């Protein structure tokens, strides 16, 4: 999942979690700071409780859309890679978001994201117009590289704060 894990680093929150603490033993100030950093990634999302669910839904919808557009344009191998990264990264992300905020209902988030993407893609012309194919040709390698980096970053962060991916 192409996530803004770097926001955690950019806000200077990473060192606070590197003290060997187990997951969710963060104090309330650390949790609030991290939640604020995560939720500020998305324009229009307030940084209060449960904001991580909204951020995750937006991120999941974006990932689903990229996968479906890749498939629509015949980039099935690339879509498979994006899907594998999504499946590997999402459990870490959900646990991180739950650690600093409220419980994440992953199945509800994914269902809502699928609905949003379905509605969005229904507005596009059928098939894969030449401009979309060209755009995807240029975008997919960058997306795959970003997903690979995100997986590495979230795994490193999870190791530091004791998170494990629940599948």
């Amino acid at each position: 999942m192409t996530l803004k894990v770097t926001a955690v680093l950019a806000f200077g929150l990473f060192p606070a979690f590197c003290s060997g603490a187990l997951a969710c033993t963060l104090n309330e100030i650390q949790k609030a700071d991290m939640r604020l950093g995560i939720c500020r990634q998305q324009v229009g999302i307030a940084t209060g409780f449960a904001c991580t669910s909204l951020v995750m839904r937006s991120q999941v919808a974006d990932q689903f859309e990229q996968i479906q557009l890749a498939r629509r344009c015949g980039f099935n191998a690339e879509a498979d890679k994006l899907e594998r990264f999504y499946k590997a990264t999402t459990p870490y992300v959900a646990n991180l978001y739950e650690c600093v905020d409220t419980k994440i209902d992953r199945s509800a988030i994914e269902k809502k994201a699928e609905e949003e993407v379905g509605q969005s893609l229904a507005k596009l012309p059928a098939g894969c117009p030449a401009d979309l194919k060209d755009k995807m040709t240029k975008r997919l390698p960058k997306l795959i590289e970003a997903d690979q980096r995100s997986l590495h970053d979230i795994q490193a962060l999870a190791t530091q704060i004791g998170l494990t991916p629940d599948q």
Side-chain angles (χ1 to χ4, degrees), residues 5 8-9 14-26 34 88-89 91-93 95-96 99 150-166:
V5 175
V8 174
L9 302 172
F14 189 68
F17 303 110
C18 296
S19 61
L22 295 175
C24 293
T25 60
L26 307 172
M34 188 168 213
T89 305
Y92 286 106
V93 172
N95 282 351
L96 173 63
C99 179
S150 292
L151 177 58
H152 178 267
D153 290 348
I154 193 72
Q155 287 173 330
L157 179 60
T159 298
Q160 293 295 322
I161 65 173
L163 291 177
T164 56
D166 295 332

Side-chain angles (χ1 to χ4, degrees), residues 77-150:
E78 291 84 350
D80 290 345
K81 285 181 185 178
L82 291 173
E83 199 164 13
R84 280 194 302 275
F85 282 122
Y86 171 80
K87 288 178 180 178
T89 305
T90 301
Y92 286 106
V93 172
N95 282 351
L96 173 63
Y97 288 2
E98 285 182 7
C99 179
V100 300
D101 202 1
T102 58
K103 177 109 176 91
I104 297 289
D105 185 348
R106 186 173 161 191
S107 63
I109 287 171
E110 288 176 337
K111 182 179 180 197
K112 182 70 176 161
E114 284 177 12
E115 290 170 3
E116 289 174 10
V117 170
Q119 291 171 358
S120 174
L121 294 181
K123 296 175 184 175
L124 297 178
C128 184
D131 61 331
L132 178 59
K133 189 158 189 127
D134 185 51
K135 195 181 287 187
M136 294 304 292
T137 299
K138 293 173 185 170
R139 183 186 302 166
L140 284 169
K142 293 174 186 174
L143 288 174
I144 291 168
E145 183 181 324
D147 280 0
Q148 190 171 19
R149 260 192 329 271
S150 292

Side-chain angles (χ1 to χ4, degrees), residues 3-82:
L3 301 173
K4 306 290 189 219
V5 175
T6 53
V8 174
L9 302 172
F11 281 98
L13 302 173
F14 189 68
F17 303 110
C18 296
S19 61
L22 295 175
C24 293
T25 60
L26 307 172
N27 67 45
E28 292 306 310
I29 293 170
Q30 291 169 321
K31 288 179 182 181
D33 286 347
M34 188 168 213
R35 182 176 54 249
L36 183 70
I38 291 168
C39 294
R40 280 188 174 166
Q41 296 174 53
Q42 297 297 119
V43 174
I45 294 181
T47 57
F49 286 105
C51 66
T52 57
S53 290
L54 298 172
V55 170
M56 187 167 179
R57 188 174 82 206
S58 174
Q59 292 168 332
V60 168
D62 181 60
Q63 195 72 14
F64 285 178
E65 183 174 66
Q66 298 307 319
I67 291 167
Q68 289 185 27
L69 285 172
R71 290 198 194 292
R72 180 185 270 201
C73 290
F75 297 106
N76 292 318
E78 291 84 350
D80 290 345
K81 285 181 185 178
L82 291 173

